[in-house]
Amino acid sequence: MSRILSIVPVLLLLFLGGALDRSIERTRLTHTCVARGSVDTVSPLMMSPNGVSISGWAVDTSGVDEVQAVAGGRVIASVKPGHRREDVSNYLGACADNTLPGFDLALSAGDISPAQEMLEIRARTQLGWYRIGRVKLEWPRPFAHLDTDQPIRWNGRNVISGWALSDAAPVAVTVLADGREIAQMTAKSGRDDVGRVFRFWPHADRSGFEVRLNIGSLPRGRFPLTLRFVDGAGRTSELPGPVLENDEAIGRVESAVSILLDPASIEFQAWAQTDGGIAGARVETEAGMVLGPMQPVHAPASAERPATDSDVASDGSQRLPREQLFRFNGKPDALPEGLHRLVVRVTDGGGVITSLPGPLLWKGAIEDAQCAGEPLRVFFPGPLSFFRSGASQMQAQRTLVGHGCVEVGMRGRVEYLRSTLGKAQDFIFDPDLPESHRIIDGKEMTGGSLRGFLNIAWEHKAPLLITLDGGVWADSAFSVPELDIVDWLEQDPTTVQWNQHGVAEPDDALSNLPGSIASPQLARMMSLNRFNERFLAYKKRNLQAAVREIVAFMAAHPEQYVAISLDPDQYINPWFFLTQWYDYNPDTLRQYREWLFHLGPYADGAPWASERAATKWTLERASRAAGRVFAKLEDVEPPRGALDYADPWQQVWTQFKRHLVARHYADLAAWAVEAGLPQDRVFTGQTFIQSDVSVDPLDKATGWTDQAGVSIRGAKPPKGHLCAILYGPASRDEGRPRSGVSLSQNIRSVDPGWGSCEFHPATIDQPERIPSNDESYRTLLTMMNAGARYLSPMWGSRAQDQRTRPEHFRAYDSYEGTPFETQFIWWLKQRSAWPVGTMLFPFGNDLVASDDGWHAGEDTTLVSERGVLRLKGSVPVLHSPAWDGLEPGQGFELSVSGTWQQQAASLVVQFAAPEGRSSVELPCTQSAIGMQCAIAARPGAAMTSLALKWKEGGEIVVDQIVIKRNDEAGEK
């Protein structure tokens, strides 16, 4: 009877209004456990981007199904009470003994509007709901969050990113170091992830910010940064930022040579400066073997030492450097044979240790060998003056690695539209461009003369790759229209590319773009349309003149290897990122209509018929696709508005732009072959800045690289080969290609004879960060195992320039003293026994632990250590990476070296063929160093993966796997 009487007032109150407030509860309910509860969280509650929690308790004799947080009539969070509260049991007595009244209610800030000032917390029972309490909300204005707290340090990523919200957007963001402003930006970049979470906040999807800090320009010291946020109403909030770690020593090693070849002794000096004095310096290998201490010298350091940013205090005042010079004279007797990077470890008065890279050292004999196949050619780049001066760094590396299946040569750049006799003589190509024309106002106009490069290569008996550049980079240093064809022609806007607004920007409209030269002039690019007849005629004439010089040289020196790469970065203008897109030149649009409607050179039986739009368009179909009426052919034009890859008309236009680039590369290669150069020596020069790139010109467009007209197949001309220019993550297959297949495999599939005329493991948009040993190793593993016929590393600055000459340093062309140099030389030593096309898996080295893409099978554990894989299992299985179909030709030979108990092993090979997939298990033969497995050719089938199976358990140690084609004869 008492239970029925206690429910009646609750039902009455629910009927009358729904809420049971606490004053009514105290005066009208006699049962102590009916509609009771409390909020423990102190009001007002400060909201956080990561959410907040409201705790309390709720009890009702009918049972509490859930506790709800309500904002503006919406339930934004709920939870069922679920933990004991002894304080509640003591307070309410026996009626609460068997309950779990405690709750913690998690709230997401994204579910609440910034206008919301109060939350209602209520409990829902079988009989309805009752209010537990209210919580007042306070919002920091602006409301901000950082994506990461990684410290800012030398060779760190050094990016500060996040988002900032306010009802008075946009939000200005300032980064402060010790009270000094070091960066400013506005939080207005796209953040769809924030927009999805904070769906009740205005502009949440455009609230992002990001800044990359150059540590060389930051104050010295170690302390946390601060981020200040100011919204449109002047309200301010702050967040602690990442820690700045800029207290390492500044200095460099000064050695007479960059590579020590099996030396009897080691001598060099180093200078260093710190804020708090130097406690000492010692010489080690990078792997940690100590050679001994350096001796301080009471003499001034090298007069060549430039002023550095460490000479300036954080308040801008000049700081007196506390500098010390050291010398080392020792012997390498304790070092094992092989390659070592020497480093100087400098310890300052506070115990901070800085590593200064020194020379490479090779310990042991340098053995020559013959190559049973095509050698991997390495072309070190440089201007003609560098090679004429002796190129000591290149020569040392050539001595160390230029034997067996590795040949070391040089790469020179000849700007064939710039190396001319001048306007008065109709810009005829000049193979002997004099220094008086090459150097103008103290600046280099070209890399050197063609005959100069040919002669210096012959003098050194070195393979030569000539970059014949008539593209965007050739005239980017400065304008010289009296000598340069492009600089002269582009004065006429009808010859250049136009943006979506019908405007041809001036060449210097952009500045501070990354590149091999400072502030390159890239904004005004020549149009690639077929009606640009003067440009194409000059280009064909001068290119063929240069090629004929090369052909004549090759005829006189048949033993000399010479190849060419053409026009690096052949694009539809991509430089105005997400703000302008090209080419809307009227003549380009005229060719677009021909391509669509199968007219002119795209008509049936015409030369380019095979390259036209897949199906012949009509005005009606074009009107439907464009969403506008085209009454006549001349009205048809591509979309000009915001880029929308869901728009089929945008997709068609992008396909045509890829066709323009592919057509131009095909023309360049055909002209070179027509002039007498074998097509096996002709390469293009396309950059693939990310792994997600179109394979075929007809692939679906998804991003900015598609606007540039880039495709892998479009860079492989019918008469020639693909040269891939690769940097950063793309060079090591990081990223998710739309094809589902890695970038390197796509390149190899399109052109097994490809090469790389420029590459570096550094990321272009991180010019201060030197790539690590691990990143460099993976770049080289990827490119060499993808079958590159040659490699040309980007080489311009040195590791020590990063801190001592920061104005001259760019990570993406740094080589001497870097982990990239160490790993490149190490890899070339490993490859000396193996011809191009061989896949080598060394599983790391003394500085890198890597599984090289191999992974353990079922019931097998795998541990990667430096230079070895360790497997354990009852029946150990090791799986290879997956490949996109390796054509077996005359078959493969697989060699595995390592240690294990004498036991039988087999190899399971997966094949793919038009009729389907299949597998075969093959026996392997034990050898003194491991085992060998023969993989016979299977006509029409391609190998997609391997699995090594040992028949017995125990520990298996694998230190190298080699997969060699049996038909690797190749070009010598």
Side-chain angles (χ1 to χ4, degrees), residues 303-342:
E304 296 180 359
R305 188 195 73 79
T308 68
D309 289 311
S310 64
D311 297 337
V312 181
S314 60
D315 61 1
S317 62
Q318 194 74 12
R319 176 191 291 115
L320 292 176
R322 303 185 64 177
E323 184 177 316
Q324 182 66 59
L325 178 67
F326 295 89
R327 283 204 180 99
F328 180 77
N329 191 330
K331 294 185 178 298
D333 299 348
L335 295 180
E337 290 194 346
L339 185 68
H340 306 277
R341 166 72 69 191
L342 301 183

Side-chain angles (χ1 to χ4, degrees), residues 675-692:
L677 196 64
Q679 66 183 49
D680 199 45
R681 302 291 183 91
V682 177
F683 292 81
T684 57
Q686 190 60 284
T687 296
F688 305 115
I689 204 66
Q690 62 186 35
S691 290
D692 181 23

Side-chain angles (χ1 to χ4, degrees), residues 243-295:
V243 173
L244 172 64
E245 299 178 0
N246 191 20
D247 52 358
E248 294 185 5
I250 302 294
R252 74 170 179 229
V253 175
E254 296 176 340
S255 174
V257 295
S258 60
I259 300 181
L260 301 169
L261 299 175
D262 200 24
S265 62
I266 305 170
E267 295 183 27
F268 58 78
Q269 66 182 24
W271 65 260
Q273 66 178 54
T274 66
D275 301 320
I278 298 173
R282 66 182 185 273
V283 177
E284 300 180 1
T285 68
E286 191 172 6
M289 295 189 64
V290 179
L291 275 74
M294 297 191 78
Q295 301 303 315

Side-chain angles (χ1 to χ4, degrees), residues 474-513:
D475 72 325
S476 62
F478 55 89
S479 180
V480 54
E482 64 273 16
L483 289 173
D484 189 299
I485 294 172
V486 169
D487 287 338
W488 176 65
L489 285 176
E490 69 183 11
Q491 296 174 100
D492 176 0
T494 65
T495 67
V496 300
Q497 298 182 30
W498 295 15
N499 63 24
Q500 75 271 32
H501 307 299
V503 174
E505 295 281 6
D507 219 1
D508 59 356
L510 296 169
S511 62
N512 299 320
L513 289 172

Side-chain angles (χ1 to χ4, degrees), residues 276-597:
I278 298 173
R282 66 182 185 273
V283 177
E284 300 180 1
T285 68
E286 191 172 6
M289 295 189 64
V290 179
L291 275 74
M294 297 191 78
Q295 301 303 315
V297 178
H298 299 290
S302 168
E304 296 180 359
R305 188 195 73 79
T308 68
D309 289 311
S310 64
D311 297 337
V312 181
S314 60
D315 61 1
S317 62
Q318 194 74 12
R319 176 191 291 115
L320 292 176
R322 303 185 64 177
E323 184 177 316
Q324 182 66 59
L325 178 67
F326 295 89
R327 283 204 180 99
F328 180 77
N329 191 330
K331 294 185 178 298
D333 299 348
L335 295 180
E337 290 194 346
L339 185 68
H340 306 277
R341 166 72 69 191
L342 301 183
V343 296
V344 173
R345 312 281 193 200
V346 178
T347 304
D348 72 7
V352 176
I353 298 176
T354 304
S355 295
L356 305 178
L360 285 173
L361 184 149
W362 175 261
K363 178 76 175 295
I366 299 174
E367 299 178 358
D368 201 357
Q370 298 297 312
C371 184
E374 181 182 359
L376 173 67
R377 293 184 172 90
V378 176
F379 299 107
F380 284 101
L384 183 58
S385 57
F386 168 74
F387 297 116
R388 282 178 170 167
S389 68
S392 59
Q393 301 99 320
M394 183 203 76
Q395 295 291 17
Q397 303 204 20
R398 189 180 182 196
T399 300
L400 179 56
V401 301
H403 52 83
C405 288
V406 175
E407 292 184 3
V408 176
M410 55 185 69
R411 174 167 67 89
R413 183 188 297 268
V414 174
E415 294 82 349
Y416 60 91
L417 298 181
R418 199 169 176 91
S419 301
T420 76
L421 296 176
K423 181 181 177 182
Q425 298 187 57
D426 198 29
F427 301 105
I428 293 173
F429 176 71
D430 185 358
D432 288 312
L433 185 72
E435 287 295 290
S436 60
H437 282 185
R438 198 182 75 81
I439 307 295
I440 298 179
D441 295 331
K443 297 184 291 184
E444 291 190 348
M445 188 184 75
T446 69
S449 69
L450 176 56
R451 285 180 182 163
F453 280 118
L454 293 170
N455 292 335
I456 200 72
W458 172 246
E459 180 182 325
H460 288 289
K461 300 297 185 289
L464 176 64
L465 177 66
I466 296 287
T467 298
L468 291 177
D469 190 357
V472 63
W473 289 102
D475 72 325
S476 62
F478 55 89
S479 180
V480 54
E482 64 273 16
L483 289 173
D484 189 299
I485 294 172
V486 169
D487 287 338
W488 176 65
L489 285 176
E490 69 183 11
Q491 296 174 100
D492 176 0
T494 65
T495 67
V496 300
Q497 298 182 30
W498 295 15
N499 63 24
Q500 75 271 32
H501 307 299
V503 174
E505 295 281 6
D507 219 1
D508 59 356
L510 296 169
S511 62
N512 299 320
L513 289 172
S516 56
I517 60 175
S519 299
Q521 296 182 4
L522 303 173
R524 195 174 181 92
M525 295 179 65
M526 298 302 292
S527 182
L528 302 182
N529 73 76
R530 75 180 188 90
F531 301 105
N532 203 354
E533 294 175 350
R534 285 190 302 165
F535 169 61
L536 296 176
Y538 274 124
K539 199 164 194 180
K540 179 179 181 180
R541 185 198 70 182
N542 280 28
L543 174 62
Q544 290 192 327
V547 170
R548 290 189 186 101
E549 284 285 336
I550 295 171
V551 171
F553 175 85
M554 293 169 61
H557 307 286
E559 65 274 39
Q560 174 72 46
Y561 181 92
V562 183
I564 66 170
S565 63
L566 297 164
D567 285 23
D569 294 353
Q570 196 63 254
Y571 292 146
I572 306 301
N573 191 329
W575 309 114
F576 295 85
F577 183 62
L578 295 179
T579 60
Q580 295 183 23
W581 32 96
Y582 291 74
D583 177 16
Y584 294 86
N585 182 301
D587 283 334
T588 302
L589 302 187
R590 180 180 169 192
Q591 186 175 342
Y592 176 52
R593 299 179 193 111
E594 291 180 333
W595 179 81
L596 281 174
F597 293 92

